[in-house]
Amino acid sequence: MRRALIALGIGLSVLGSAVVTAPAEAASVATVPLARTSTAAQEVAEFWLADGAANLRDATPYEVGATKNGERLSADVPPDGPPVSLAPMEAPDPATSGKVFFIGDDGRPHWCTGTAVRSSYRNTVATAAHCVFNIEAPMGALGAWVFVPAYTEGATPYGLYVGKQGNTHYDYDDIRDHGRNYAFVNVYNGVVSSASAGLTDVGRLGDNVGGQGIAFNQPIASTVDVLGYPAGPHPDGTRPYTGESLERSTGSRFAVRVTVARADRLVGVDSPFTGAGSLGSAWLTGYSDETRTGYLNGITTSVSDTDGDGRYDTGISSYFDRETIPVYQHTSGTWTGRFI
């Protein structure tokens, strides 16, 4: 991983950024700068795309917080307000799922799953908060953060999208409340790289791949489709997923409890996904095979073996309630634009 350490030496402006609280109208939102300037964004894009996208290829699945000891509950997770939903954004060739890449606290390139979601400026990616915020450091963001929709073996078929800022609930950043482990990231216009032209702008994320709808305060009795890139072994040593292709599982939801200090209002789903790689996977209600869209209503933050048979059987997500809405709204209303 020497390449990662050397290349990031020229882009210190994108690392170690302090978290700041959003303005008063979004007091429950914590915002962290990712690549603040056009120069910083260009450095990030070049880092990932240089040498035939070698750093993308070298990245490994992020495993921080990937597993939890979980217990299924018979209780419900009650809404704290009326149900709210926003319809998906369609595209000629929808491809909303992909991988988010970043440099971890260990100085190495890693990835989680991410999903393009509808927003006013068509520039928003949803993932787990700890795939944006560096929980292994006192404050700040994970470095060199980008999103690649439909990523496959170093290919960026719809471009690479550099993150400008990440947003999560204030309680996740302040007290590590795992019931608020979700993040929405504003990205710049996408870019591709060629030997002759260098970096070329390819336009807005939502225009290129569409965006999933989003829903809040929904009943947990319904089933959801989970889309992600699971990788890594089960506790019994079996390894059914490689992390190289997008996988889908469908399961019923239920309330769940995990053994961490702060983790209220969590939801589980029947899913065989392993934790590494699937962190940030989209939970979609009303998913259509024809349009490849649905309504984002959860994000995988960890997985658990709840029956003790040595295989993961449950994905875990925060419940999307009234407290989630201002985080999403703040991100949806933030413009980014192009950096080249």
Side-chain angles (χ1 to χ4, degrees):
M1 300 302 172
R2 181 174 173 79
R3 182 188 304 109
L5 299 174
I6 292 174
L8 282 179
I10 66 170
L12 294 179
S13 59
V14 303
L15 297 174
S17 304
V19 178
V20 295
T21 305
E25 66 269 17
S28 61
V29 183
T31 297
V32 65
L34 298 174
R36 311 182 200 205
T37 66
S38 296
T39 299
Q42 185 168 338
E43 290 177 352
V44 170
E46 289 173 345
F47 165 74
W48 290 108
L49 295 173
D51 300 327
N55 283 312
L56 292 178
R57 297 174 188 274
D58 287 347
T60 58
Y62 199 48
E63 298 192 56
V64 172
T67 60
K68 295 281 191 301
N69 292 324
E71 176 188 358
R72 300 186 181 210
L73 305 176
S74 58
D76 196 4
V77 179
D80 62 357
V84 177
S85 62
L86 297 170
M89 299 186 310
E90 296 187 3
D93 185 20
T96 59
S97 295
K99 291 184 178 182
V100 300
F101 294 86
F102 48 84
I103 302 301
D105 195 55
D106 59 1
R108 297 168 180 259
H110 298 286
W111 55 266
C112 291
T113 295
T115 305
V117 64
R118 72 164 293 148
S119 62
S120 298
Y121 294 105
R122 298 174 178 251
N123 65 349
T124 298
V125 177
T127 189
H130 71 288
C131 295
V132 180
F133 289 71
N134 187 359
I135 64 173
E136 297 189 300
M139 296 283 276
L142 295 162
W145 199 98
V146 299
F147 175 60
V148 182
Y151 173 82
T152 304
E153 298 181 349
T156 58
Y158 300 92
L160 176 143
Y161 299 79
V162 177
K164 184 174 184 179
Q165 70 175 34
N167 304 288
T168 190
H169 194 280
Y170 180 81
D171 285 351
Y172 184 78
D173 173 63
D174 185 46
I175 59 175
R176 293 294 183 257
D177 181 352
H178 289 271
R180 302 295 174 196
N181 191 348
Y182 44 75
F184 300 98
V185 178
N186 294 117
V187 295
Y188 292 98
N189 283 12
V191 293
V192 295
S193 179
S194 67
S196 59
L199 295 178
T200 303
D201 185 284
V202 295
R204 297 187 299 182
L205 175 65
D207 293 334
N208 293 328
V209 304
Q212 298 295 344
I214 192 164
F216 311 93
N217 276 322
Q218 303 297 311
I220 66 169
S222 60
T223 61
V224 295
D225 289 285
V226 182
L227 274 68
Y229 290 82
H234 287 281
D236 65 2
T238 57
R239 189 183 181 102
Y241 302 111
T242 65
E244 293 299 324
S245 60
L246 181 67
E247 303 287 347
R248 173 182 169 189
S249 72
T250 303
S252 58
R253 292 187 291 181
F254 43 85
V256 68
R257 177 168 54 219
V258 300
T259 54
V260 296
R262 295 181 178 89
D264 295 329
R265 297 173 69 77
L266 295 180
V267 182
V269 62
D270 285 313
S271 174
F273 283 3
T274 52
S278 70
L279 299 179
S281 294
W283 293 24
L284 301 176
T285 61
Y287 184 77
S288 166
D289 287 316
E290 181 178 356
T291 64
R292 286 178 274 171
T293 59
Y295 293 80
L296 184 72
N297 194 225
I299 293 170
T300 299
T301 59
S302 59
V303 300
S304 182
D305 171 15
T306 61
D307 60 12
D309 69 351
R311 294 181 66 79
Y312 298 120
D313 53 54
T314 298
I316 297 170
S317 170
S318 306
Y319 179 72
F320 279 20
D321 59 12
R322 182 175 59 186
E323 292 286 324
T324 315
I325 295 174
V327 183
Y328 165 74
Q329 287 179 324
H330 179 75
T331 314
S332 176
T334 300
W335 178 83
T336 48
R338 59 190 299 162
F339 64 86
I340 57 170

